[in-house]
Amino acid sequence: MTATNQTVRDIATENPATVRVFEKYGIEYCCGGNVDEVIASLEAATAPLASEEKNWATESLAYLAAHIVDTHHAYVSHEMPRLNELAGKVVSRHGDTREELPAIQSKLAELGEELIAHQGKEEVVLFPYIGKLERFAAGDGTMPRNCFGSITHPIEMMTRDHDFAGNLMEEIRTLSQDYTPPDGACPTFRAFYEGLREFEQDLHQHIQLENNILFPRAVELEASLSHR
Ligand SMILES: [Fe+2]
Ligand SMILES: [Fe+2]
């Protein structure tokens, strides 16, 4: 990023990920402004994310669960309020002419409430239990007790929650025409749709790690221990 002759608005329009940086510095990205002092932050915001090099099939389950909490749960917790706020702005400015916006806003609010409650259950009940199972398997302590019988029961519940959240996300994608802002949309509108697109991407990675790796490995571990 070198073009200091670009206005902040140009940059925000070209690359909606940068809006987060403008918000951080309190820069009005809808109406111009100079960019020098924020170049470094912009570069950080647009740099490709470090590639994931972990092999989650072999890392410990406790480590994988901690990664999910630190990366994906933390992302939901801080990104959802930002998206809800952007939704409020675009609905107040454009909601009367674009009827999909209030619908997206209410689906998004539902998705946020659902995900926060869901990840709370994982963090308080399921993930700690998986950690205890793993410690027991390593010879530490006794078989952990729980109030749900087999681990397959909470996992079925969590998987149903994932389907529910995935469906809401899909409805948002459809309502937003695959996150495509209308021609001439303002930077806030673009930032909102770009934020939704990123949110979907993170949600898919998050659910994939749980459904396809963490949960099947935990079920297998529990089954191997019950035969001891
Ligand atoms: Fe999760
Ligand atoms: Fe989950």
Side-chain angles (χ1 to χ4, degrees):
M1 195 165 299
T2 52
T4 49
N5 57 340
Q6 278 183 302
T7 65
V8 169
R9 185 191 162 97
D10 292 338
I11 293 173
T13 304
E14 255 169 49
N15 192 335
T18 58
V19 164
R20 216 164 296 184
V21 176
F22 296 136
E23 284 171 349
K24 178 176 164 201
Y25 287 91
I27 291 169
E28 179 47 73
Y29 51 85
C30 271
C31 312
N34 292 318
V35 296
D36 279 348
E37 72 264 43
V38 287
I39 292 284
S41 296
L42 292 174
E43 282 172 350
T46 54
L49 295 172
S51 61
E52 262 325 49
E53 284 163 10
K54 298 283 175 220
N55 179 358
W56 293 119
T58 53
E59 292 287 345
S60 81
L61 295 181
Y63 186 60
L64 172 54
H67 165 79
I68 290 170
V69 171
D70 293 347
T71 308
H72 300 293
H73 291 195
Y75 174 80
V76 170
S77 300
H78 80 77
E79 186 64 1
M80 201 36 103
R82 192 185 79 92
L83 288 176
N84 281 327
E85 200 182 311
L86 283 172
K89 282 185 189 166
V90 295
V91 165
S92 72
R93 289 178 202 165
H94 310 289
D96 47 348
T97 53
R98 302 205 62 98
E99 61 186 22
E100 70 276 23
L101 290 175
I104 291 170
Q105 183 185 34
S106 84
K107 298 274 176 208
L108 182 69
E110 189 182 357
L111 178 63
E113 283 169 23
E114 169 66 26
L115 284 175
I116 297 291
H118 169 83
Q119 63 192 30
K121 287 182 260 177
E122 290 178 338
E123 288 171 28
V124 172
V125 181
L126 182 57
F127 290 3
Y129 182 72
I130 291 174
K132 285 181 199 159
L133 275 182
E134 198 167 53
R135 286 200 293 281
F136 174 59
D140 183 4
T142 54
M143 181 74 175
R145 299 205 306 192
N146 66 62
C147 55
F148 45 71
S150 165
I151 200 169
T152 55
H153 297 135
I155 282 178
E156 277 164 21
M157 276 176 55
M158 294 303 106
T159 307
R160 274 199 299 275
D161 286 353
H162 291 168
D163 290 346
F164 185 76
N167 288 338
L168 279 171
M169 196 76 242
E170 189 61 39
E171 288 177 63
I172 291 171
R173 174 184 268 280
T174 304
L175 283 163
S176 65
Q177 311 209 32
D178 296 338
Y179 313 116
T180 310
D183 287 346
C186 70
T188 308
F189 202 138
R190 289 177 186 279
F192 178 49
Y193 273 16
E194 192 53 32
L196 291 175
R197 181 194 297 282
E198 279 175 22
F199 193 88
E200 181 190 63
Q201 214 171 53
D202 187 86
L203 184 67
H204 287 169
Q205 285 172 5
H206 176 182
I207 291 179
Q208 190 269 339
L209 279 178
E210 291 175 356
N211 281 7
N212 300 341
I213 302 177
L214 181 66
F215 293 172
R217 285 187 59 199
V219 169
E220 202 178 311
L221 177 64
E222 186 195 54
S224 75
L225 294 174
S226 61
H227 296 310
R228 278 192 175 184

